[in-house]
Amino acid sequence: PSIVTAQAADQGQLRDSMQDSVDARMLDPDTALLVVADGMGGAPAGDLASGRALAAVIDTLGQRDWSDPDVALAEAVAAANEAVWQEALADPRKASMGTTLVIAPRQRRRGPYRERRR
């Protein structure tokens, strides 16, 4: 199984760096993962925050059992938060760094990918 994705980003005219981080991959034969992190514009190190958050999510979910997706996603968000927090603590100039985070897993269960809703 595979997924087909496309991405586009625009740094805009006000930023010195691209603050978006995006990844799409198959974690296993039945789990597709799309992640978007958008560093907070106007705050320092938004590009670094989005990159750290994305890396933490990929790392965490790549090692998880998906039997309970809610737990897996909560752990991934906690890991992303911790990664950004630790980076901000290490350098006072980055104290207000931050990012948005969207995690969109899709799991195949005997048919097409489906969204899990409560």
Side-chain angles (χ1 to χ4, degrees):
S2 65
I3 57 174
V4 177
T5 65
Q7 62 181 337
D10 183 357
Q11 180 173 318
Q13 298 177 1
L14 300 176
R15 306 282 176 251
D16 293 332
S17 63
M18 176 56 71
Q19 304 214 350
D20 303 342
S21 296
V22 179
D23 192 76
R25 66 181 59 205
M26 296 298 295
L27 290 178
D28 62 45
D30 294 320
T31 308
L33 180 68
L34 294 95
V35 183
V36 177
D38 183 359
M40 292 182 348
D47 54 339
L48 186 57
S50 68
R52 293 282 194 267
L54 181 110
V57 166
I58 297 300
D59 237 22
T60 302
L61 292 180
Q63 301 172 30
R64 284 291 303 159
D65 168 8
W66 280 89
S67 60
D68 189 341
D70 293 337
V71 170
L73 291 171
E75 289 179 0
V77 170
N81 184 64
E82 183 68 17
V84 173
W85 180 254
Q86 290 301 321
E87 186 71 34
L89 285 177
D91 184 347
R93 294 171 296 175
K94 300 175 191 169
S96 61
M97 70 189 283
T99 186
T100 63
L101 181 63
V102 177
I103 307 171
R106 292 290 182 260
Q107 290 187 291
R108 186 172 65 151
R109 301 214 199 282
R110 296 187 190 140
Y113 288 97
R114 68 176 179 84
E115 185 172 343
R116 184 172 183 264
R117 296 191 184 254
R118 288 183 192 211

